[in-house]
Amino acid sequence: TVVATNPLTGCSNSMNSSASIIIKALPTDYPVSLGGDYCDCGVGIDVNITGSDDNVEYQLYRGVTAVGTPVVGGGVSISFGLQTAGGNYTVVASDPTTGCSKKMNSSANVVINPLPTVFTVLGGGSYCEGGAGSRVYLSVSTLGIEYQLYNGATLMGTAMGTGSSVDFGYQTAAGTYNVVANNLTTSCSNNMAGSATISI
């Protein structure tokens, strides 16, 4: 309200009208959770918020780009589904009743780990029964990557990459040999190209 005072006469008068100021509450802050890393060509990583307010809209952002459409809260956690693009994910809550919006304080990072580089399986061939077998090797390797040799579904040997070719030695069992590369840090795996067939 406002009161007007004339300092010469000492007379005062209250103005007839008034103005009201209302502070509208911001949407509640809920943590953005999950995120993490996954292997390239995988299904992605889930991003969610641990709670929500009724009738408040929640929009997921990757950087400054909106991802999908807003999800209306119902007092429970909200999953925005599996996210396949790497980046920092945040959530903005908007209350259509009050017009107030709030960016949730936390965020989730999605990191895409590359698959091991594909190299070629070489060797194989036929050998006479009772002989030394046939040699199987990988054309090149990546330092620190684990390479597993399989005959069908049977693990025949393991070797660590050195940056050069990997020699699995002479194999005596008949069959088709394949190699799987495993990154022990990221848990990402990849099948190497080609195969080696051994016959007796």
Side-chain angles (χ1 to χ4, degrees), residues 53-136:
D53 293 338
D54 289 337
N55 303 316
V56 172
E57 297 178 347
Y58 296 86
Q59 177 65 60
L60 180 67
Y61 285 87
R62 178 171 55 85
V64 297
T65 303
V67 178
T69 56
V71 179
V72 179
V76 296
S77 62
I78 294 176
S79 171
F80 294 99
L82 296 172
Q83 305 301 318
T84 57
N88 182 255
Y89 287 80
T90 57
V91 176
V92 174
S94 300
D95 189 333
T97 302
T98 64
C100 295
S101 297
K102 178 178 175 60
K103 180 180 179 181
M104 304 293 100
N105 287 328
S106 56
S107 63
N109 287 309
V110 172
V111 178
I112 304 172
N113 293 317
L115 299 179
T117 304
V118 175
F119 300 113
T120 304
V121 180
L122 300 171
S126 60
Y127 74 97
C128 296
E129 186 176 8
S134 292
R135 179 172 167 244
V136 177

Side-chain angles (χ1 to χ4, degrees), residues 5-46:
T5 301
N6 187 325
L8 297 177
T9 64
C11 296
S12 298
N13 200 9
S14 296
M15 303 296 101
N16 288 328
S17 57
S18 63
S20 296
I21 294 178
I22 300 172
I23 301 174
K24 299 176 180 178
L26 294 175
T28 307
D29 186 33
Y30 294 102
V32 181
S33 65
L34 296 182
D37 57 349
Y38 76 101
C39 298
D40 193 15
C41 298
V43 297
I45 292 289
D46 188 30

Side-chain angles (χ1 to χ4, degrees), residues 117-122 136-140 145-152 155 157-159 166 168 176-182 189-196:
T117 304
V118 175
F119 300 113
T120 304
V121 180
L122 300 171
V136 177
Y137 61 97
L138 191 65
S139 60
V140 189
I145 297 295
E146 177 190 72
Y147 295 92
Q148 294 178 319
L149 178 68
Y150 286 89
N151 180 358
L155 179 63
T158 300
V166 174
F168 291 100
T176 300
Y177 288 76
N178 300 284
V179 175
V180 176
N182 301 305
S189 299
N190 205 7
N191 294 322
M192 299 294 97
S195 61

